[in-house]
Amino acid sequence: MTDEDRALIDRVVKPYTALHALVVNYPEEVAALLSAARQARTQGPGEGFVVVPVEPTREMLKAAGDYADECARLNYGGAPDAEGTWSAMLAAAPPASLIKEG
């Protein structure tokens, strides 16, 4: 076995060895972390946050374009502001219940 092979195996195996050691030595703490993660996942995002797709939908992109067109029509004199664009895109985002995990 080459040194390169050993290094690759080390990189792959060590994280699992460390994880196994955590589970064996601290089972209550690991269980509490898993429980907290499950609870957070079912409760959704915290106040002030929303769930949106990783990639914007066509509707979200259209909303951003429409906002930019409206800014140009009203002669704001420059590029549309990021906050307005973001608000338009969020308003057009699908509900979190329709977003598939991926």
Side-chain angles (χ1 to χ4, degrees):
M1 184 180 308
T2 67
D3 288 344
E4 187 177 321
D5 291 340
R6 283 188 188 88
L8 177 61
I9 290 169
D10 243 13
R11 283 197 314 269
V12 172
V13 173
K14 274 190 180 179
Y16 294 105
T17 304
L19 181 58
H20 181 264
L22 275 175
V23 171
V24 169
N25 295 317
Y26 303 99
E28 294 85 13
E29 290 83 351
V30 171
L33 284 171
L34 289 173
S35 176
R38 282 187 199 102
Q39 184 177 4
R41 186 173 182 170
T42 59
Q43 289 178 347
E47 187 175 329
F49 291 85
V50 295
V51 176
V52 295
V54 172
E55 295 292 329
T57 64
R58 284 187 189 143
E59 293 79 11
M60 293 170 71
L61 294 172
K62 182 180 180 324
D66 290 348
Y67 180 75
D69 291 347
E70 183 68 9
C71 288
R73 189 182 70 76
L74 295 173
N75 194 17
Y76 283 9
D81 62 299
E83 288 179 359
T85 302
W86 183 245
S87 293
M89 291 180 78
L90 286 180
S97 60
L98 297 180
I99 299 173
K100 294 180 182 177
E101 289 186 37

